[in-house]
Amino acid sequence: MWEGLRLQVFWLCLGLAVWNTAVAERGHRRHLSPYRHRERRKEGQVLHRSKRGWVWNQFFVIEEYTGPDPVLVGRLHSDVDTGDGNIKYILSGEGAGTIFVIDDKTGNIHATKTLDREEQAEYTLTAQAVARDTNKPLEPPSEFIVKVQDINDNPPVFLQGPYYARVAEMSNVGTSVIQVTASDADDPTYGNSARLVYSILQGQPYFSVEPHTGIIRTALPNMDREAKQEYDVVIQAKDMGGHMGGLSGTAQVKITLTDVNDNPPKFAQGVYAMSIAEDRVPGEEVGRLKARDPDQGENGLVDYAVLEGDGMSVFEISKDSESQEAVIKLKKPVDFETKRSYTLKVEAVNPHVDSRFLSWGPYKDTTVVKISVEDADEPPVFIAPNYSFEVEENAPWGTLVGRVHAKDTDIANNPIRYLIPRYTDLEEFFTISPEEGTIKTTRPLDRETQAWHNISVSATEIGGHHQDAKVRVNIKVKDVNDNAPEFATQDEVLMCENVTPGKAIKTVSAVDKDEMSPRQHFHFSLAPKAVSNHNFSLKDNRDSTATIVVIRKGFSRMIQDVYALPIEINDNGVPPLSSTNTLLIRVCSCDSKDTILSCNVEPYILPAGLSTGALIAILACIVILLAIVVLFVALRRQKKEPLIVFEEEDIRENIITYDDEGGGEEDTEAFDIATLQNPDGINGFLPRKDIKPDLQFPLRPGLRPVANSVDVDEFIKTRISDADNDPTAPPYDSIQVYGYEGRGSVAGSLSSLESVTTDSDLDYDYLQSWGPRFKKLAELYGTKDPAEDNS
């Protein structure tokens, strides 16, 4: 491969020349040229040596070079190159033409871009010499490598920081805490660019770090967690072996001292004074005391015990696990008149002791507790600090809930009266016996309405100072199965018309207001009236759900758009309850992918050529026309005569014809025509004109006048009476004409017809004084005609 070509490398950096020369001496030969040179030793021996076509050297380029000119990597030269310019050098491979360019005449290779070893450490290139005019290869192609020479351009980096570590307090010097590791992207095989050295910048004198491993160790003995628990340590990693000019990186390490049992418990006082009233009952708390231990967790646990004292049989001691306090309680009743003080010696000890620190012990402490007995008039005391009772729901009135008990511990021992304050039981669900303290219900309780009733009971002394005490009573209403299950949701089920038989269309579940036991579940079944349906079936999943399955095909929402499926749900309770719930299944129109398009009922056949919008417009026009007709008819009916006859609105009373010539003083007996038209109006009754009475009453006997009666007045009264008592007669038949002139008038009749047929000697001259309205009448009757006198 290397026949005829000689590779000559020109290095720019003097420091690399020696290294490259050594590499060149280690270069290997490729193919040997057919030409051989003969060398003759001093003794005359002739040695034959193969001519090397390529002078092989490995190329090197310094990374991150930022000079103004391209870097000369090396030069290619072939033995067949006579310098006349007929040979052209070609470069191919990684980065050829972009990163590395070659002068095709001289064979000089330059790097045109800044290289980064951390991105790519070496490039493989191929060189070849060809004839310039024919591009025919003059020698076989040869590969060579250009390596990127590393420089220290990457600082050390801690990849896992910040670090968290724990070490026990009181650890020995040199105890390993944690190891931190940094990495450097530079070449670890070249120089010291990636040689790291660790040092501690913060955290002395408590901790140290190994320079080459990064292991952090304790540097001080007996570090006490109770004095300081957390330490912030800063570790530095520096390359170039830690020498001047190297790059560095830091990491934060938070070190926490864990606790060990290195502190004994300690009482704050040597003597504690407590007191208790003589009316206290056994079990009541007398007082508390605490031995403090600064350790944590189980190392700080403290147990208490009474070692000696005259109160060992009267008092007992226990521990509050949360507060780690010693609780002294009354074990037996005390009597002020018998003994007024007691003494206890109490010990506090660590239950968990570390054998490494036994020499620091003992891990215990003692104190003295003095308890004095007080004599005082105390209110009644309930036996228990609070009471909890249970009662079943729906229990009948008067059911016993429980009993509270309080007593007066004074010498007088007054009786106690119990009372439930109304503000704690506003609806008065419970009552209490004043003497016995028994609580009973006043009516059945409903757990689903209120599961707990929290009331108070007051106990008051009868006599003495009437002191009282209250206690909390919590009453739980126990559940009974008195609510039937029902659907969890009431949603409709949407089903496609083209649904296939056997498809599950809905999974239903149920809820129950009652409490469900762990073994209780719901059973589903079709109601008896739906068992024989041929549309749907129900499968009980035995997990308090059921699946609705279609059992036929061919549904059509035009024939039936909604199906009601009654489902019976049983809660399997004691006693078992069941309910029937109706599941509505609506048939919808769907596409081929079972996507619901519409669930509304639409006309089955639409007229040809009319769209849905056109039909809606036509229907709207029809509705508007109907509204106009109804409005027109309503207006016309308003113009008609009202259904109720009102006296002031009836105009027919103004069109009645009277042929009355005047009745003189008897005109006051004239009839009110309005009354004749509506005789019931006097009593406030206005008859309807459009309703005919259902009942008919006969005329009263004796009221019909004689046919030839000359008393017209009596005739009219009779007719009025008939009309008033005839419910079948319409109210408007009283528009009649009466020719009655009245009777008993002094002036008599003024009719001109009667005056012609009768001879009258009456003097009508008085008409002259009646005024202008009677002037014509006075001219006719008041003065005799002179012609008649002459005749």
Side-chain angles (χ1 to χ4, degrees), residues 558-742:
M558 298 302 171
I559 299 175
Q560 185 174 353
D561 62 332
V562 177
Y563 292 85
L565 185 65
I567 298 175
E568 186 175 286
I569 310 175
N570 190 299
D571 60 7
N572 196 28
V574 180
L577 294 179
S578 63
S579 65
T580 300
N581 299 259
T582 301
L583 181 67
L584 296 180
I585 304 174
R586 184 173 296 277
V587 182
C588 301
S589 174
C590 304
D591 58 11
S592 59
K593 297 181 180 179
D594 292 339
T595 301
I596 295 177
L597 300 177
S598 174
C599 295
N600 299 324
V601 178
E602 297 177 354
Y604 188 74
I605 299 176
L606 296 178
L610 291 179
S611 63
T612 304
L615 289 176
I616 294 175
I618 293 172
L619 292 176
C621 293
I622 293 174
V623 172
I624 293 174
L625 290 176
L626 289 176
I628 293 174
V629 171
V630 172
L631 180 61
F632 179 75
V633 172
L635 294 176
R636 289 292 301 273
R637 294 190 64 179
Q638 288 182 359
K639 294 180 180 180
K640 293 182 178 182
E641 189 175 44
L643 299 179
I644 303 299
V645 179
F646 292 98
E647 180 178 347
E648 63 273 8
E649 296 179 358
D650 197 346
I651 197 170
R652 287 173 296 192
E653 68 183 64
N654 297 325
I655 60 174
I656 298 175
T657 303
Y658 291 93
D659 193 12
D660 192 355
E661 297 180 359
E665 295 83 355
E666 297 297 329
D667 287 343
T668 57
E669 300 180 8
F671 294 96
D672 185 1
I673 192 64
T675 304
L676 293 176
Q677 293 172 352
N678 186 17
D680 293 332
I682 300 175
N683 299 325
F685 174 75
L686 302 178
R688 294 287 301 271
K689 299 178 182 181
D690 57 344
I691 300 177
K692 181 179 180 179
D694 295 331
L695 301 177
Q696 296 183 3
F697 300 94
L699 296 176
R700 288 183 297 175
L703 294 180
R704 187 171 300 280
V706 183
N708 297 326
S709 175
V710 295
D711 192 350
V712 181
D713 184 15
E714 186 65 26
F715 169 75
I716 294 174
K717 290 181 178 180
T718 302
R719 293 294 301 274
I720 293 173
S721 177
D722 291 343
D724 291 344
N725 293 279
D726 184 7
T728 63
Y732 42 78
D733 64 346
S734 60
I735 304 179
Q736 303 177 21
V737 177
Y738 295 95
Y740 181 60
E741 298 180 358

Side-chain angles (χ1 to χ4, degrees), residues 152-164:
N152 189 20
D153 59 343
N154 291 279
V157 176
F158 289 91
L159 301 180
Q160 299 180 358
Y163 295 86
Y164 296 90

Side-chain angles (χ1 to χ4, degrees), residues 309-320:
D310 56 0
M312 292 185 63
S313 61
V314 181
F315 302 95
E316 60 183 359
I317 190 168
S318 62
K319 185 179 74 171
D320 188 333

Side-chain angles (χ1 to χ4, degrees), residues 397-472:
W397 172 85
T399 300
L400 178 64
V401 177
R403 182 188 179 192
V404 297
H405 180 63
K407 68 177 183 178
D408 181 14
T409 56
D410 294 331
I411 298 177
N413 194 18
N414 295 320
I416 305 298
R417 182 172 296 275
Y418 300 95
L419 175 68
I420 298 178
R422 285 302 95 189
Y423 66 86
T424 66
D425 185 20
L426 296 176
E427 300 186 29
E428 301 184 6
F429 288 108
F430 306 96
T431 182
I432 190 170
S433 171
E435 294 81 14
E436 299 178 357
T438 55
I439 302 174
K440 297 182 179 181
T441 60
T442 60
R443 57 182 178 272
L445 304 178
D446 186 9
R447 187 200 68 86
E448 286 70 39
T449 303
Q450 188 171 351
W452 284 88
H453 295 268
N454 302 316
I455 64 174
S456 294
V457 174
S458 174
T460 306
E461 295 181 10
I462 301 177
H465 295 86
H466 299 283
Q467 299 188 75
D468 65 344
K470 292 182 177 61
V471 69
R472 194 71 175 174

